[in-house]
Amino acid sequence: MKILPILFFISSLIPFQSVGNTIDKDNLIKFVELFVKNNIDSPRDGKLEIKLPEIDPRVTIKPCDAPLQANIPENHNGRNINVKIYCEGLTPWQMYIPVKISQEILVLVTQNVLAKGTVIDQTNTITQYTDVNSIRGETIDNVGQISGGRLKRRLSKGAIVSPRNVCLVCEGESVTIIAKSEGFTIKTAGVALTDGSKGEEVQIRNSKSGRTINARVEAVNQVRINL
């Protein structure tokens, strides 16, 4: 994510309140938070979490006779940002406020430890917001996408459920083979010879003919071939 240095004038958003010769620290923190929200993108269908420190009460913030300005460095790492606050008045000064941010999206996770072969449904999973930096690979945000599938391996409590961890068609289980052609559809029974998630190609043995075919996973225990 590329963020160019941006000037932001506090006078148009949050007026500072002076206490003696100092600038109000609470308003300064609110200004920084709003500045970050306006200049760091939230992930699609997700949210941005911002954590700011409390300013040490021993720190004195000098007054400024010009609108305060803020700047985000171009080379920030996306998680930790030192927001530069500075005054270009008659008595110029600057300070840095460290900000921790996390971009979070909804993902499906386990509610408890789940053994290999467990059938996934709404009783053993839940969706929660998770930092995108801790996510590897494809995720799911709706249990309906894989409900009825079985886990290929054991997952610990709170683990992210990935489509790769779940077989909708599992080796050794009975499946419905749907053969489609223009104008007609044929259904027959078979047995899965390999595991597969939705959209993957698996090997199926036709229970009537005994032939092994390749078919694409459509849903739980259902595959499709095109004639």
Side-chain angles (χ1 to χ4, degrees):
M1 182 190 305
K2 185 176 180 181
I3 303 294
L4 296 175
I6 303 169
L7 300 182
F8 199 73
F9 294 93
I10 192 168
S11 60
S12 64
L13 292 172
I14 303 176
F16 278 117
Q17 298 175 359
S18 295
V19 180
N21 292 322
T22 65
I23 290 176
D24 183 80
K25 296 182 178 67
D26 289 338
N27 277 345
L28 179 63
I29 289 297
K30 290 177 183 178
F31 165 64
V32 174
E33 182 178 15
L34 183 59
F35 175 76
V36 172
K37 284 181 178 179
N38 286 339
N39 293 287
I40 299 293
D41 293 332
S42 296
R44 183 177 179 181
D45 299 324
K47 64 179 183 178
L48 190 70
E49 286 291 314
I50 302 172
K51 293 182 180 180
L52 295 98
E54 291 186 5
I55 298 177
D56 192 318
R58 295 171 294 180
V59 173
T60 299
I61 304 174
K62 298 178 182 178
C64 183
D65 58 1
L68 282 183
Q69 300 178 38
N71 176 288
I72 293 179
E74 278 191 273
N75 60 348
H76 70 85
N77 65 12
R79 296 192 206 182
N80 300 294
I81 301 173
N82 282 319
V83 179
K84 179 182 177 181
I85 307 297
Y86 57 102
C87 171
E88 293 185 335
L90 294 176
T91 307
W93 56 264
Q94 67 181 38
M95 67 183 298
Y96 290 88
I97 304 293
V99 180
K100 291 185 178 181
I101 64 172
S102 62
Q103 295 171 304
E104 301 181 351
I105 59 173
L106 272 178
V107 298
L108 190 71
V109 301
T110 58
Q111 292 203 63
N112 41 56
V113 177
L114 299 182
K116 178 181 177 181
T118 299
V119 176
I120 294 296
D121 57 32
Q122 61 184 3
T123 67
N124 51 30
T125 58
I126 190 172
T127 55
Q128 68 178 31
Y129 281 100
T130 301
D131 190 336
V132 295
N133 290 304
S134 66
I135 298 172
R136 299 292 180 269
E138 188 180 357
T139 61
I140 303 168
D141 61 8
N142 186 343
V143 69
Q145 299 173 43
I146 57 168
S147 184
R150 294 183 181 274
L151 283 180
K152 294 181 181 180
R153 64 182 182 87
R154 179 183 181 274
L155 292 181
S156 59
K157 181 178 180 180
I160 295 174
V161 182
S162 165
R164 294 185 178 182
N165 295 333
V166 180
C167 57
L168 297 185
V169 169
C170 305
E171 182 180 358
E173 292 195 348
S174 298
V175 299
T176 299
I177 304 169
I178 300 176
K180 286 192 174 183
S181 182
E182 188 174 343
F184 69 91
T185 299
I186 300 173
K187 293 184 179 181
T188 188
V191 176
L193 302 179
T194 54
D195 292 338
S197 300
K198 186 171 184 177
E200 291 183 339
E201 193 173 83
V202 291
Q203 288 189 323
I204 304 293
R205 184 176 65 246
N206 189 306
S207 298
K208 290 184 178 180
S209 67
R211 289 179 54 202
T212 297
I213 60 172
N214 291 326
R216 200 161 297 279
V217 177
E218 286 266 292
V220 175
N221 295 332
Q222 181 178 300
V223 298
R224 172 177 172 169
I225 61 173
N226 293 319
L227 298 177

